[in-house]
Amino acid sequence: MDHLKELDRHFSEHREAHLAELNDFLSIPSISSLSGHKGDMRKAAEWLAGSLKAAGLENISIDETSGQPVVYADWLHAEGQPTLLIYGHYDVQPVDPLELWDSAPFEPEVRDNKLYARGASDDKGQVFMHVKAVEALFKTHGKLPVNVKFCIEGEEEIGSPNLPAYVEENKDKLAADVIVISDTGMQGPGQPAVCYGLRGLAGVQIDVKGARGDLHSGLYGGGVQNAIHALVELLASFRDKEGTITVDGFYDDVRPATEEERGEYGKLGFDEEALKKELGVSELFGEPGYSHLERTWTRPTLEINGVFGGFSGEGIKTVLPAQAGAKITCRLVPDQDPDDIVQKLRSHIEKNKPAGVTVNITEFDKGKPFLTPYDHPAIQAAGKSYERVYQVPTAYTRGGGSIPIVAAFDEILGLPVVLMGFGLSSENFHAPNEHFHLENFDKGLRVIGDYYFEVSSALSGAE
């Protein structure tokens, strides 16, 4: 693989310069959820556009949306070759609590071969790797083995509210053969993984209301419904003692994992005993008949995320709370639909509503599940590139979490999605001291560069 040797030489020679550039990108506090950082969002988009231009890409634009802009670029001169749409995001999470950071979140610092900064792993570092991989190929080969388009948004950390409309309006501009996203993680240190599926999401808030106001428990206790008791009764009705969801029809549309998939998961050697020790729990819990990986990758969930109501201050207050509430999220699997699941939750709540209260339901985040067959040539090509660089077998995994825009890409553009990430679950993304292992930065650059050759061969030769 002469191209890999050339890439290795290039990345080795330019490592310090690349890290210095990445530090500039990471120094911009592009926090999409805070309106005070609107100027920083624009600055990050402009920085990225400049970086794409310097790398050799063309048709660069900062496309306006109703929120933060989308940065677009392309290079479309590989005649007869597939087109890759590279997606990522330049926005980051807030940094609170600031006092828990060991170094300033927007002043990047390398410690123990780890780059510490907000966005280092999620997702600026991984987006930057794709830019530098393209640049390296231009400098070592003068051209790319595939056509590429970049679509980098600034609202992923707030749920990508404006990207689906942007994608819908720009179908022709974004037309491609496969979508490549590096915003996920590896199976573990030195253990590369290609994620071929993600769970969807449906969230609701339940508000229970009893009397006009809190009541004296001596005067009214035993004679008027307590909103918290009613809420607890309702929440308990959602699952049985083994964790199976008891909402009518909840599992009707679940597409089971294939026996081949389940067999592959068994080969990963996942250590459930080690997980229990890491989490500090005496035993794992979940739907009977499934391993922990199957429960968290291929089965739907219903989880209570928060409960509120009544008096929780020091001492005791003898009242019957008039109001109580809870937040619930469901992780969904193919072929479940978020709107259908929310309707089934509504029906279950109406059917099981305790006497003496009214219940109001507010809908929140929704996202459809996503699945590309793991034997798809574009996914297998990614596995080969990982193995070539890391020198170990690639794991083919599903993710338990949700990236709603992935399902939107799948639905709107109808393309296979390859999730080839380089982060580790221990890297504190969304938390203080976010960092990126530079071993995976170094190897990831080479994996991406090699992948462009591998996917060219795989897709141009695939029927």
Side-chain angles (χ1 to χ4, degrees), residues 56-287:
L57 289 148
E58 302 170 343
N59 300 313
I60 294 151
S61 59
I62 298 177
D63 298 340
E64 302 301 332
T65 72
S66 297
Q68 305 300 340
V70 173
V71 181
Y72 175 86
D74 64 34
W75 187 88
L76 304 173
H77 305 294
E79 188 174 347
Q81 293 300 317
T83 299
L84 307 187
L85 176 61
I86 312 298
Y87 164 81
H89 62 94
Y90 62 86
D91 64 322
V92 300
Q93 284 276 333
V95 298
D96 302 292
L98 188 59
E99 66 272 12
L100 296 183
W101 286 78
D102 294 330
S103 56
F106 295 109
E107 295 177 15
E109 184 176 299
V110 176
R111 302 192 300 273
D112 193 26
N113 204 34
K114 302 169 189 173
L115 177 59
Y116 285 81
R118 173 60 88 224
S121 178
D122 180 21
D123 180 38
K124 286 181 176 178
Q126 300 198 57
V127 166
F128 182 79
M129 288 162 66
H130 278 278
V131 178
K132 290 295 127 178
V134 166
E135 180 183 80
L137 289 171
F138 280 132
K139 290 189 174 180
T140 59
H141 291 266
K143 61 181 181 178
L144 304 181
V146 292
N147 301 293
V148 297
K149 298 178 178 181
F150 279 75
C151 175
I152 314 299
E153 69 156 321
E155 297 184 321
E156 194 274 344
E157 299 293 6
I158 56 172
S160 304
N162 293 294
L163 193 61
Y166 173 84
V167 174
E168 190 73 51
E169 293 165 5
N170 292 276
K171 282 183 179 180
D172 292 339
K173 183 176 180 176
L174 300 175
D177 295 290
V178 62
I179 300 169
V180 179
I181 301 175
S182 294
D183 192 17
T184 51
M186 308 211 314
Q187 184 70 4
Q191 299 174 358
V194 180
C195 181
Y196 64 93
L198 294 168
R199 293 194 287 191
L201 183 68
V204 300
Q205 178 172 314
I206 301 171
D207 291 290
V208 175
K209 189 176 187 305
R212 288 196 181 93
D214 291 352
L215 301 175
H216 190 291
S217 66
L219 295 176
Y220 296 98
V224 177
Q225 179 66 279
N226 180 317
I228 291 181
H229 279 291
L231 176 66
V232 170
E233 180 182 338
L234 186 56
L235 296 180
S237 72
F238 283 118
R239 300 194 324 192
D240 66 19
K241 291 182 179 179
E242 292 185 306
T244 300
I245 298 163
T246 53
V247 174
D248 287 344
F250 191 89
Y251 294 103
D252 283 357
D253 297 321
V254 170
R255 187 196 312 176
T258 66
E259 288 304 314
E260 185 179 7
E261 285 180 282
R262 298 183 76 177
E264 288 297 318
Y265 301 158
K267 295 176 184 177
L268 295 177
F270 184 79
D271 190 339
E272 294 193 359
E273 290 300 319
L275 179 63
K276 287 192 286 187
K277 185 175 181 181
E278 177 188 341
L279 300 179
V281 297
S282 59
E283 57 186 303
L284 300 178
F285 175 81
E287 193 180 358

Side-chain angles (χ1 to χ4, degrees), residues 376-377 456-463:
H376 190 283
S456 169
S457 174
L459 292 186
S460 60
E463 294 184 0

Side-chain angles (χ1 to χ4, degrees), residues 176-452:
D177 295 290
V178 62
I179 300 169
V180 179
I181 301 175
S182 294
D183 192 17
T184 51
M186 308 211 314
Q187 184 70 4
Q191 299 174 358
V194 180
C195 181
Y196 64 93
L198 294 168
R199 293 194 287 191
L201 183 68
V204 300
Q205 178 172 314
I206 301 171
D207 291 290
V208 175
K209 189 176 187 305
R212 288 196 181 93
D214 291 352
L215 301 175
H216 190 291
S217 66
L219 295 176
Y220 296 98
V224 177
Q225 179 66 279
N226 180 317
I228 291 181
H229 279 291
L231 176 66
V232 170
E233 180 182 338
L234 186 56
L235 296 180
S237 72
F238 283 118
R239 300 194 324 192
D240 66 19
K241 291 182 179 179
E242 292 185 306
T244 300
I245 298 163
T246 53
V247 174
D248 287 344
F250 191 89
Y251 294 103
D252 283 357
D253 297 321
V254 170
R255 187 196 312 176
T258 66
E259 288 304 314
E260 185 179 7
E261 285 180 282
R262 298 183 76 177
E264 288 297 318
Y265 301 158
K267 295 176 184 177
L268 295 177
F270 184 79
D271 190 339
E272 294 193 359
E273 290 300 319
L275 179 63
K276 287 192 286 187
K277 185 175 181 181
E278 177 188 341
L279 300 179
V281 297
S282 59
E283 57 186 303
L284 300 178
F285 175 81
E287 193 180 358
Y290 300 93
S291 69
H292 177 75
L293 290 183
E294 290 167 350
R295 289 169 180 165
T296 56
W297 289 355
T298 73
R299 302 298 296 170
T301 69
L302 187 155
E303 299 288 351
I304 300 167
N305 307 123
V307 177
F308 47 92
F311 177 73
S312 58
E314 185 178 355
I316 193 166
K317 184 178 181 182
T318 54
V319 296
L320 272 65
Q323 299 183 50
K327 296 180 185 290
I328 289 175
T329 52
C330 299
R331 298 288 178 172
L332 310 179
V333 301
D335 298 296
Q336 290 181 302
D337 179 80
D339 291 323
D340 176 64
I341 290 298
V342 169
Q343 185 55 49
K344 286 172 178 172
L345 293 178
R346 287 182 176 275
S347 297
H348 178 90
I349 290 167
E350 183 62 31
K351 178 181 176 181
N352 292 275
K353 181 179 68 175
V357 295
T358 58
V359 180
N360 185 59
I361 301 157
T362 305
E363 299 179 19
F364 286 104
D365 294 356
K366 290 180 184 176
K368 291 187 176 181
F370 142 78
L371 187 69
T372 292
Y374 80 94
D375 58 357
H376 190 283
I379 286 179
Q380 291 297 312
K384 291 178 181 178
S385 292
Y386 273 119
E387 290 174 7
R388 194 166 289 128
V389 174
Y390 279 86
Q391 296 293 299
V392 296
T394 299
Y396 295 92
T397 69
R398 294 203 207 179
S402 308
I403 306 178
I405 194 57
V406 173
F409 272 130
D410 182 41
E411 187 174 11
I412 297 170
L413 299 180
L415 300 177
V417 182
V418 180
L419 297 168
M420 49 187 304
F422 300 92
L424 294 174
S425 60
S426 61
E427 289 179 335
N428 289 7
F429 39 86
H430 292 207
N433 296 313
E434 178 181 350
H435 57 279
F436 193 16
H437 284 68
L438 291 181
E439 175 190 5
N440 294 325
F441 174 77
D442 294 330
K443 290 184 175 179
L445 286 166
R446 292 153 174 82
V447 170
I448 293 169
D450 183 75
Y451 178 65
Y452 294 157

Side-chain angles (χ1 to χ4, degrees), residues 22-48 68 89-96 98 101 104-108 117-120 122-124 153-155 157-158 434:
L22 177 54
N23 286 351
D24 288 342
F25 193 22
L26 294 172
S27 297
I28 304 171
S30 49
I31 304 171
S32 54
S33 62
L34 301 179
S35 59
H37 287 275
K38 186 175 182 179
D40 295 314
M41 295 299 300
R42 173 65 58 170
K43 183 178 179 181
E46 292 173 349
W47 188 98
L48 183 58
Q68 305 300 340
H89 62 94
Y90 62 86
D91 64 322
V92 300
Q93 284 276 333
V95 298
D96 302 292
L98 188 59
W101 286 78
F106 295 109
E107 295 177 15
R118 173 60 88 224
D122 180 21
D123 180 38
K124 286 181 176 178
E153 69 156 321
E155 297 184 321
E157 299 293 6
I158 56 172
E434 178 181 350

